[in-house]
mmCIF file with all atom_site columns, all heavy atoms in Angstrom:
data_model
loop_
_atom_site.group_PDB
_atom_site.id
_atom_site.type_symbol
_atom_site.label_atom_id
_atom_site.label_alt_id
_atom_site.label_comp_id
_atom_site.label_asym_id
_atom_site.label_entity_id
_atom_site.label_seq_id
_atom_site.pdbx_PDB_ins_code
_atom_site.Cartn_x
_atom_site.Cartn_y
_atom_site.Cartn_z
_atom_site.occupancy
_atom_site.B_iso_or_equiv
_atom_site.pdbx_formal_charge
_atom_site.auth_seq_id
_atom_site.auth_comp_id
_atom_site.auth_asym_id
_atom_site.auth_atom_id
_atom_site.pdbx_PDB_model_num
ATOM 1   N N   . VAL A 1 252 ? -21.333 32.084 30.893 1.00 98.00 ? 281 VAL A N   1
ATOM 2   C CA  . VAL A 1 252 ? -21.240 33.429 31.466 1.00 98.00 ? 281 VAL A CA  1
ATOM 3   C C   . VAL A 1 252 ? -22.597 33.736 32.083 1.00 98.00 ? 281 VAL A C   1
ATOM 4   O O   . VAL A 1 252 ? -23.628 33.472 31.459 1.00 98.00 ? 281 VAL A O   1
ATOM 5   C CB  . VAL A 1 252 ? -20.931 34.471 30.371 1.00 98.00 ? 281 VAL A CB  1
ATOM 6   C CG1 . VAL A 1 252 ? -20.939 35.889 30.945 1.00 98.00 ? 281 VAL A CG1 1
ATOM 7   C CG2 . VAL A 1 252 ? -19.603 34.162 29.681 1.00 98.00 ? 281 VAL A CG2 1
ATOM 8   N N   . VAL A 1 253 ? -22.597 34.251 33.299 1.00 98.00 ? 282 VAL A N   1
ATOM 9   C CA  . VAL A 1 253 ? -23.848 34.699 33.908 1.00 98.00 ? 282 VAL A CA  1
ATOM 10  C C   . VAL A 1 253 ? -23.740 36.196 34.171 1.00 98.00 ? 282 VAL A C   1
ATOM 11  O O   . VAL A 1 253 ? -22.765 36.663 34.764 1.00 98.00 ? 282 VAL A O   1
ATOM 12  C CB  . VAL A 1 253 ? -24.151 33.962 35.227 1.00 98.00 ? 282 VAL A CB  1
ATOM 13  C CG1 . VAL A 1 253 ? -25.472 34.458 35.814 1.00 98.00 ? 282 VAL A CG1 1
ATOM 14  C CG2 . VAL A 1 253 ? -24.206 32.460 35.000 1.00 98.00 ? 282 VAL A CG2 1
ATOM 15  N N   . ILE A 1 254 ? -24.735 36.914 33.707 1.00 98.00 ? 283 ILE A N   1
ATOM 16  C CA  . ILE A 1 254 ? -24.808 38.366 33.936 1.00 98.00 ? 283 ILE A CA  1
ATOM 17  C C   . ILE A 1 254 ? -25.936 38.609 34.930 1.00 98.00 ? 283 ILE A C   1
ATOM 18  O O   . ILE A 1 254 ? -27.081 38.207 34.685 1.00 98.00 ? 283 ILE A O   1
ATOM 19  C CB  . ILE A 1 254 ? -25.091 39.096 32.611 1.00 98.00 ? 283 ILE A CB  1
ATOM 20  C CG1 . ILE A 1 254 ? -23.988 38.772 31.584 1.00 98.00 ? 283 ILE A CG1 1
ATOM 21  C CG2 . ILE A 1 254 ? -25.205 40.608 32.836 1.00 98.00 ? 283 ILE A CG2 1
ATOM 22  C CD1 . ILE A 1 254 ? -24.371 39.119 30.157 1.00 98.00 ? 283 ILE A CD1 1
ATOM 23  N N   . THR A 1 255 ? -25.605 39.215 36.057 1.00 98.00 ? 284 THR A N   1
ATOM 24  C CA  . THR A 1 255 ? -26.669 39.481 37.040 1.00 98.00 ? 284 THR A CA  1
ATOM 25  C C   . THR A 1 255 ? -27.512 40.671 36.573 1.00 98.00 ? 284 THR A C   1
ATOM 26  O O   . THR A 1 255 ? -27.035 41.519 35.787 1.00 98.00 ? 284 THR A O   1
ATOM 27  C CB  . THR A 1 255 ? -26.097 39.793 38.432 1.00 98.00 ? 284 THR A CB  1
ATOM 28  O OG1 . THR A 1 255 ? -25.421 41.052 38.373 1.00 98.00 ? 284 THR A OG1 1
ATOM 29  C CG2 . THR A 1 255 ? -25.129 38.719 38.908 1.00 98.00 ? 284 THR A CG2 1
ATOM 30  N N   . PRO A 1 256 ? -28.751 40.766 37.064 1.00 98.00 ? 285 PRO A N   1
ATOM 31  C CA  . PRO A 1 256 ? -29.577 41.938 36.718 1.00 98.00 ? 285 PRO A CA  1
ATOM 32  C C   . PRO A 1 256 ? -28.879 43.241 37.093 1.00 98.00 ? 285 PRO A C   1
ATOM 33  O O   . PRO A 1 256 ? -28.915 44.213 36.324 1.00 98.00 ? 285 PRO A O   1
ATOM 34  C CB  . PRO A 1 256 ? -30.847 41.722 37.542 1.00 98.00 ? 285 PRO A CB  1
ATOM 35  C CG  . PRO A 1 256 ? -30.929 40.232 37.750 1.00 98.00 ? 285 PRO A CG  1
ATOM 36  C CD  . PRO A 1 256 ? -29.506 39.773 37.857 1.00 98.00 ? 285 PRO A CD  1
ATOM 37  N N   . ALA A 1 257 ? -28.223 43.259 38.247 1.00 98.00 ? 286 ALA A N   1
ATOM 38  C CA  . ALA A 1 257 ? -27.569 44.501 38.666 1.00 98.00 ? 286 ALA A CA  1
ATOM 39  C C   . ALA A 1 257 ? -26.408 44.860 37.732 1.00 98.00 ? 286 ALA A C   1
ATOM 40  O O   . ALA A 1 257 ? -26.199 46.040 37.409 1.00 98.00 ? 286 ALA A O   1
ATOM 41  C CB  . ALA A 1 257 ? -27.067 44.368 40.106 1.00 98.00 ? 286 ALA A CB  1
ATOM 42  N N   . ALA A 1 258 ? -25.666 43.852 37.271 1.00 98.00 ? 287 ALA A N   1
ATOM 43  C CA  . ALA A 1 258 ? -24.563 44.115 36.339 1.00 98.00 ? 287 ALA A CA  1
ATOM 44  C C   . ALA A 1 258 ? -25.099 44.658 35.021 1.00 98.00 ? 287 ALA A C   1
ATOM 45  O O   . ALA A 1 258 ? -24.553 45.615 34.451 1.00 98.00 ? 287 ALA A O   1
ATOM 46  C CB  . ALA A 1 258 ? -23.751 42.851 36.102 1.00 98.00 ? 287 ALA A CB  1
ATOM 47  N N   . ALA A 1 259 ? -26.181 44.049 34.544 1.00 98.00 ? 288 ALA A N   1
ATOM 48  C CA  . ALA A 1 259 ? -26.775 44.534 33.302 1.00 98.00 ? 288 ALA A CA  1
ATOM 49  C C   . ALA A 1 259 ? -27.279 45.956 33.481 1.00 98.00 ? 288 ALA A C   1
ATOM 50  O O   . ALA A 1 259 ? -27.134 46.818 32.594 1.00 98.00 ? 288 ALA A O   1
ATOM 51  C CB  . ALA A 1 259 ? -27.910 43.603 32.857 1.00 98.00 ? 288 ALA A CB  1
ATOM 52  N N   . GLY A 1 260 ? -27.852 46.241 34.646 1.00 97.00 ? 289 GLY A N   1
ATOM 53  C CA  . GLY A 1 260 ? -28.329 47.595 34.921 1.00 97.00 ? 289 GLY A CA  1
ATOM 54  C C   . GLY A 1 260 ? -27.192 48.598 34.947 1.00 97.00 ? 289 GLY A C   1
ATOM 55  O O   . GLY A 1 260 ? -27.344 49.748 34.514 1.00 97.00 ? 289 GLY A O   1
ATOM 56  N N   . GLU A 1 261 ? -26.058 48.162 35.406 1.00 96.00 ? 290 GLU A N   1
ATOM 57  C CA  . GLU A 1 261 ? -24.919 49.069 35.562 1.00 96.00 ? 290 GLU A CA  1
ATOM 58  C C   . GLU A 1 261 ? -24.197 49.332 34.241 1.00 96.00 ? 290 GLU A C   1
ATOM 59  O O   . GLU A 1 261 ? -23.759 50.448 33.976 1.00 96.00 ? 290 GLU A O   1
ATOM 60  C CB  . GLU A 1 261 ? -23.943 48.451 36.577 1.00 96.00 ? 290 GLU A CB  1
ATOM 61  C CG  . GLU A 1 261 ? -22.708 49.281 36.885 1.00 96.00 ? 290 GLU A CG  1
ATOM 62  C CD  . GLU A 1 261 ? -21.837 48.599 37.954 1.00 96.00 ? 290 GLU A CD  1
ATOM 63  O OE1 . GLU A 1 261 ? -22.129 48.735 39.139 1.00 96.00 ? 290 GLU A OE1 1
ATOM 64  O OE2 . GLU A 1 261 ? -20.867 47.907 37.570 1.00 96.00 ? 290 GLU A OE2 1
ATOM 65  N N   . ARG A 1 262 ? -23.988 48.258 33.420 1.00 97.00 ? 291 ARG A N   1
ATOM 66  C CA  . ARG A 1 262 ? -23.130 48.436 32.247 1.00 97.00 ? 291 ARG A CA  1
ATOM 67  C C   . ARG A 1 262 ? -23.452 47.416 31.151 1.00 97.00 ? 291 ARG A C   1
ATOM 68  O O   . ARG A 1 262 ? -22.574 46.676 30.676 1.00 97.00 ? 291 ARG A O   1
ATOM 69  C CB  . ARG A 1 262 ? -21.658 48.380 32.643 1.00 97.00 ? 291 ARG A CB  1
ATOM 70  C CG  . ARG A 1 262 ? -21.245 47.187 33.446 1.00 97.00 ? 291 ARG A CG  1
ATOM 71  C CD  . ARG A 1 262 ? -19.756 47.206 33.823 1.00 97.00 ? 291 ARG A CD  1
ATOM 72  N NE  . ARG A 1 262 ? -19.279 45.842 33.913 1.00 97.00 ? 291 ARG A NE  1
ATOM 73  C CZ  . ARG A 1 262 ? -19.582 44.993 34.898 1.00 97.00 ? 291 ARG A CZ  1
ATOM 74  N NH1 . ARG A 1 262 ? -20.343 45.368 35.899 1.00 97.00 ? 291 ARG A NH1 1
ATOM 75  N NH2 . ARG A 1 262 ? -19.114 43.764 34.860 1.00 97.00 ? 291 ARG A NH2 1
ATOM 76  N N   . ALA A 1 263 ? -24.733 47.418 30.723 1.00 98.00 ? 292 ALA A N   1
ATOM 77  C CA  . ALA A 1 263 ? -25.189 46.478 29.702 1.00 98.00 ? 292 ALA A CA  1
ATOM 78  C C   . ALA A 1 263 ? -24.392 46.617 28.406 1.00 98.00 ? 292 ALA A C   1
ATOM 79  O O   . ALA A 1 263 ? -23.985 45.618 27.793 1.00 98.00 ? 292 ALA A O   1
ATOM 80  C CB  . ALA A 1 263 ? -26.679 46.687 29.431 1.00 98.00 ? 292 ALA A CB  1
ATOM 81  N N   . ALA A 1 264 ? -24.148 47.848 28.011 1.00 97.00 ? 293 ALA A N   1
ATOM 82  C CA  . ALA A 1 264 ? -23.486 48.071 26.724 1.00 97.00 ? 293 ALA A CA  1
ATOM 83  C C   . ALA A 1 264 ? -22.049 47.576 26.756 1.00 97.00 ? 293 ALA A C   1
ATOM 84  O O   . ALA A 1 264 ? -21.562 46.933 25.814 1.00 97.00 ? 293 ALA A O   1
ATOM 85  C CB  . ALA A 1 264 ? -23.530 49.554 26.371 1.00 97.00 ? 293 ALA A CB  1
ATOM 86  N N   . GLU A 1 265 ? -21.377 47.864 27.858 1.00 98.00 ? 294 GLU A N   1
ATOM 87  C CA  . GLU A 1 265 ? -19.976 47.448 27.983 1.00 98.00 ? 294 GLU A CA  1
ATOM 88  C C   . GLU A 1 265 ? -19.852 45.917 27.980 1.00 98.00 ? 294 GLU A C   1
ATOM 89  O O   . GLU A 1 265 ? -18.973 45.348 27.329 1.00 98.00 ? 294 GLU A O   1
ATOM 90  C CB  . GLU A 1 265 ? -19.425 48.035 29.288 1.00 98.00 ? 294 GLU A CB  1
ATOM 91  C CG  . GLU A 1 265 ? -17.997 47.670 29.579 1.00 98.00 ? 294 GLU A CG  1
ATOM 92  C CD  . GLU A 1 265 ? -17.600 48.078 31.013 1.00 98.00 ? 294 GLU A CD  1
ATOM 93  O OE1 . GLU A 1 265 ? -18.178 49.061 31.543 1.00 98.00 ? 294 GLU A OE1 1
ATOM 94  O OE2 . GLU A 1 265 ? -16.752 47.388 31.596 1.00 98.00 ? 294 GLU A OE2 1
ATOM 95  N N   . ILE A 1 266 ? -20.753 45.250 28.693 1.00 98.00 ? 295 ILE A N   1
ATOM 96  C CA  . ILE A 1 266 ? -20.705 43.784 28.745 1.00 98.00 ? 295 ILE A CA  1
ATOM 97  C C   . ILE A 1 266 ? -21.008 43.194 27.367 1.00 98.00 ? 295 ILE A C   1
ATOM 98  O O   . ILE A 1 266 ? -20.339 42.270 26.914 1.00 98.00 ? 295 ILE A O   1
ATOM 99  C CB  . ILE A 1 266 ? -21.683 43.251 29.816 1.00 98.00 ? 295 ILE A CB  1
ATOM 100 C CG1 . ILE A 1 266 ? -21.258 43.744 31.206 1.00 98.00 ? 295 ILE A CG1 1
ATOM 101 C CG2 . ILE A 1 266 ? -21.721 41.722 29.803 1.00 98.00 ? 295 ILE A CG2 1
ATOM 102 C CD1 . ILE A 1 266 ? -22.272 43.453 32.309 1.00 98.00 ? 295 ILE A CD1 1
ATOM 103 N N   . GLY A 1 267 ? -21.998 43.763 26.692 1.00 98.00 ? 296 GLY A N   1
ATOM 104 C CA  . GLY A 1 267 ? -22.335 43.268 25.355 1.00 98.00 ? 296 GLY A CA  1
ATOM 105 C C   . GLY A 1 267 ? -21.178 43.416 24.389 1.00 98.00 ? 296 GLY A C   1
ATOM 106 O O   . GLY A 1 267 ? -20.861 42.493 23.621 1.00 98.00 ? 296 GLY A O   1
ATOM 107 N N   . ALA A 1 268 ? -20.530 44.572 24.439 1.00 98.00 ? 297 ALA A N   1
ATOM 108 C CA  . ALA A 1 268 ? -19.394 44.801 23.529 1.00 98.00 ? 297 ALA A CA  1
ATOM 109 C C   . ALA A 1 268 ? -18.229 43.886 23.874 1.00 98.00 ? 297 ALA A C   1
ATOM 110 O O   . ALA A 1 268 ? -17.552 43.340 22.993 1.00 98.00 ? 297 ALA A O   1
ATOM 111 C CB  . ALA A 1 268 ? -18.969 46.276 23.614 1.00 98.00 ? 297 ALA A CB  1
ATOM 112 N N   . GLY A 1 269 ? -17.990 43.698 25.167 1.00 97.00 ? 298 GLY A N   1
ATOM 113 C CA  . GLY A 1 269 ? -16.901 42.811 25.593 1.00 97.00 ? 298 GLY A CA  1
ATOM 114 C C   . GLY A 1 269 ? -17.139 41.385 25.158 1.00 97.00 ? 298 GLY A C   1
ATOM 115 O O   . GLY A 1 269 ? -16.222 40.698 24.675 1.00 97.00 ? 298 GLY A O   1
ATOM 116 N N   . LEU A 1 270 ? -18.375 40.930 25.317 1.00 98.00 ? 299 LEU A N   1
ATOM 117 C CA  . LEU A 1 270 ? -18.701 39.566 24.896 1.00 98.00 ? 299 LEU A CA  1
ATOM 118 C C   . LEU A 1 270 ? -18.540 39.404 23.388 1.00 98.00 ? 299 LEU A C   1
ATOM 119 O O   . LEU A 1 270 ? -17.998 38.395 22.916 1.00 98.00 ? 299 LEU A O   1
ATOM 120 C CB  . LEU A 1 270 ? -20.126 39.214 25.332 1.00 98.00 ? 299 LEU A CB  1
ATOM 121 C CG  . LEU A 1 270 ? -20.633 37.844 24.880 1.00 98.00 ? 299 LEU A CG  1
ATOM 122 C CD1 . LEU A 1 270 ? -19.760 36.720 25.433 1.00 98.00 ? 299 LEU A CD1 1
ATOM 123 C CD2 . LEU A 1 270 ? -22.081 37.625 25.315 1.00 98.00 ? 299 LEU A CD2 1
ATOM 124 N N   . ALA A 1 271 ? -18.987 40.403 22.625 1.00 98.00 ? 300 ALA A N   1
ATOM 125 C CA  . ALA A 1 271 ? -18.857 40.319 21.157 1.00 98.00 ? 300 ALA A CA  1
ATOM 126 C C   . ALA A 1 271 ? -17.391 40.147 20.764 1.00 98.00 ? 300 ALA A C   1
ATOM 127 O O   . ALA A 1 271 ? -17.050 39.333 19.899 1.00 98.00 ? 300 ALA A O   1
ATOM 128 C CB  . ALA A 1 271 ? -19.453 41.572 20.507 1.00 98.00 ? 300 ALA A CB  1
ATOM 129 N N   . ALA A 1 272 ? -16.520 40.885 21.428 1.00 96.00 ? 301 ALA A N   1
ATOM 130 C CA  . ALA A 1 272 ? -15.089 40.792 21.099 1.00 96.00 ? 301 ALA A CA  1
ATOM 131 C C   . ALA A 1 272 ? -14.532 39.434 21.494 1.00 96.00 ? 301 ALA A C   1
ATOM 132 O O   . ALA A 1 272 ? -13.761 38.817 20.746 1.00 96.00 ? 301 ALA A O   1
ATOM 133 C CB  . ALA A 1 272 ? -14.330 41.915 21.815 1.00 96.00 ? 301 ALA A CB  1
ATOM 134 N N   . SER A 1 273 ? -14.919 38.933 22.672 1.00 96.00 ? 302 SER A N   1
ATOM 135 C CA  . SER A 1 273 ? -14.358 37.675 23.180 1.00 96.00 ? 302 SER A CA  1
ATOM 136 C C   . SER A 1 273 ? -14.830 36.474 22.356 1.00 96.00 ? 302 SER A C   1
ATOM 137 O O   . SER A 1 273 ? -14.044 35.592 22.011 1.00 96.00 ? 302 SER A O   1
ATOM 138 C CB  . SER A 1 273 ? -14.754 37.506 24.647 1.00 96.00 ? 302 SER A CB  1
ATOM 139 O OG  . SER A 1 273 ? -14.261 36.303 25.178 1.00 96.00 ? 302 SER A OG  1
ATOM 140 N N   . MET A 1 274 ? -16.108 36.447 22.000 1.00 97.00 ? 303 MET A N   1
ATOM 141 C CA  . MET A 1 274 ? -16.640 35.257 21.312 1.00 97.00 ? 303 MET A CA  1
ATOM 142 C C   . MET A 1 274 ? -16.244 35.194 19.840 1.00 97.00 ? 303 MET A C   1
ATOM 143 O O   . MET A 1 274 ? -16.326 34.122 19.229 1.00 97.00 ? 303 MET A O   1
ATOM 144 C CB  . MET A 1 274 ? -18.164 35.196 21.460 1.00 97.00 ? 303 MET A CB  1
ATOM 145 C CG  . MET A 1 274 ? -18.863 36.365 20.823 1.00 97.00 ? 303 MET A CG  1
ATOM 146 S SD  . MET A 1 274 ? -20.562 36.037 20.310 1.00 97.00 ? 303 MET A SD  1
ATOM 147 C CE  . MET A 1 274 ? -20.307 35.252 18.729 1.00 97.00 ? 303 MET A CE  1
ATOM 148 N N   . THR A 1 275 ? -15.829 36.319 19.285 1.00 96.00 ? 304 THR A N   1
ATOM 149 C CA  . THR A 1 275 ? -15.406 36.306 17.877 1.00 96.00 ? 304 THR A CA  1
ATOM 150 C C   . THR A 1 275 ? -13.888 36.275 17.729 1.00 96.00 ? 304 THR A C   1
ATOM 151 O O   . THR A 1 275 ? -13.382 36.140 16.613 1.00 96.00 ? 304 THR A O   1
ATOM 152 C CB  . THR A 1 275 ? -15.953 37.545 17.130 1.00 96.00 ? 304 THR A CB  1
ATOM 153 O OG1 . THR A 1 275 ? -15.497 38.730 17.803 1.00 96.00 ? 304 THR A OG1 1
ATOM 154 C CG2 . THR A 1 275 ? -17.475 37.552 17.100 1.00 96.00 ? 304 THR A CG2 1
ATOM 155 N N   . LEU A 1 276 ? -13.178 36.362 18.845 1.00 93.00 ? 305 LEU A N   1
ATOM 156 C CA  . LEU A 1 276 ? -11.712 36.368 18.798 1.00 93.00 ? 305 LEU A CA  1
ATOM 157 C C   . LEU A 1 276 ? -11.209 35.085 18.122 1.00 93.00 ? 305 LEU A C   1
ATOM 158 O O   . LEU A 1 276 ? -11.673 33.994 18.445 1.00 93.00 ? 305 LEU A O   1
ATOM 159 C CB  . LEU A 1 276 ? -11.177 36.454 20.235 1.00 93.00 ? 305 LEU A CB  1
ATOM 160 C CG  . LEU A 1 276 ? -9.708  36.817 20.424 1.00 93.00 ? 305 LEU A CG  1
ATOM 161 C CD1 . LEU A 1 276 ? -9.432  38.245 19.981 1.00 93.00 ? 305 LEU A CD1 1
ATOM 162 C CD2 . LEU A 1 276 ? -9.323  36.671 21.912 1.00 93.00 ? 305 LEU A CD2 1
ATOM 163 N N   . GLY A 1 277 ? -10.285 35.244 17.172 1.00 90.00 ? 306 GLY A N   1
ATOM 164 C CA  . GLY A 1 277 ? -9.752  34.061 16.481 1.00 90.00 ? 306 GLY A CA  1
ATOM 165 C C   . GLY A 1 277 ? -10.845 33.270 15.792 1.00 90.00 ? 306 GLY A C   1
ATOM 166 O O   . GLY A 1 277 ? -10.810 32.036 15.789 1.00 90.00 ? 306 GLY A O   1
ATOM 167 N N   . ALA A 1 278 ? -11.837 33.966 15.220 1.00 91.00 ? 307 ALA A N   1
ATOM 168 C CA  . ALA A 1 278 ? -12.971 33.318 14.559 1.00 91.00 ? 307 ALA A CA  1
ATOM 169 C C   . ALA A 1 278 ? -13.720 32.372 15.502 1.00 91.00 ? 307 ALA A C   1
ATOM 170 O O   . ALA A 1 278 ? -14.270 31.352 15.087 1.00 91.00 ? 307 ALA A O   1
ATOM 171 C CB  . ALA A 1 278 ? -12.532 32.581 13.283 1.00 91.00 ? 307 ALA A CB  1
ATOM 172 N N   . GLY A 1 279 ? -13.759 32.730 16.784 1.00 91.00 ? 308 GLY A N   1
ATOM 173 C CA  . GLY A 1 279 ? -14.522 31.919 17.747 1.00 91.00 ? 308 GLY A CA  1
ATOM 174 C C   . GLY A 1 279 ? -13.924 30.551 17.992 1.00 91.00 ? 308 GLY A C   1
ATOM 175 O O   . GLY A 1 279 ? -14.613 29.652 18.467 1.00 91.00 ? 308 GLY A O   1
ATOM 176 N N   . GLN A 1 280 ? -12.646 30.408 17.669 1.00 93.00 ? 309 GLN A N   1
ATOM 177 C CA  . GLN A 1 280 ? -12.025 29.085 17.732 1.00 93.00 ? 309 GLN A CA  1
ATOM 178 C C   . GLN A 1 280 ? -11.157 28.900 18.975 1.00 93.00 ? 309 GLN A C   1
ATOM 179 O O   . GLN A 1 280 ? -10.258 28.060 18.985 1.00 93.00 ? 309 GLN A O   1
ATOM 180 C CB  . GLN A 1 280 ? -11.208 28.836 16.456 1.00 93.00 ? 309 GLN A CB  1
ATOM 181 C CG  . GLN A 1 280 ? -12.078 28.860 15.204 1.00 93.00 ? 309 GLN A CG  1
ATOM 182 C CD  . GLN A 1 280 ? -11.278 28.853 13.909 1.00 93.00 ? 309 GLN A CD  1
ATOM 183 O OE1 . GLN A 1 280 ? -11.396 27.945 13.115 1.00 93.00 ? 309 GLN A OE1 1
ATOM 184 N NE2 . GLN A 1 280 ? -10.439 29.852 13.709 1.00 93.00 ? 309 GLN A NE2 1
ATOM 185 N N   . PHE A 1 281 ? -11.405 29.661 20.020 1.00 92.00 ? 310 PHE A N   1
ATOM 186 C CA  . PHE A 1 281 ? -10.704 29.461 21.286 1.00 92.00 ? 310 PHE A CA  1
ATOM 187 C C   . PHE A 1 281 ? -11.433 28.390 22.095 1.00 92.00 ? 310 PHE A C   1
ATOM 188 O O   . PHE A 1 281 ? -12.667 28.350 22.094 1.00 92.00 ? 310 PHE A O   1
ATOM 189 C CB  . PHE A 1 281 ? -10.691 30.758 22.099 1.00 92.00 ? 310 PHE A CB  1
ATOM 190 C CG  . PHE A 1 281 ? -9.592  31.709 21.733 1.00 92.00 ? 310 PHE A CG  1
ATOM 191 C CD1 . PHE A 1 281 ? -9.379  32.098 20.425 1.00 92.00 ? 310 PHE A CD1 1
ATOM 192 C CD2 . PHE A 1 281 ? -8.751  32.213 22.718 1.00 92.00 ? 310 PHE A CD2 1
ATOM 193 C CE1 . PHE A 1 281 ? -8.360  32.974 20.092 1.00 92.00 ? 310 PHE A CE1 1
ATOM 194 C CE2 . PHE A 1 281 ? -7.735  33.088 22.394 1.00 92.00 ? 310 PHE A CE2 1
ATOM 195 C CZ  . PHE A 1 281 ? -7.533  33.477 21.080 1.00 92.00 ? 310 PHE A CZ  1
#
Side-chain angles (χ1 to χ4, degrees):
Chain A
V281 176
V282 180
I283 302 164
T284 68
E290 181 178 278
R291 52 181 211 287
E294 179 190 331
I295 297 171
L299 176 60
S302 179
M303 63 154 277
T304 57
L305 195 67
Q309 299 170 119
F310 276 52

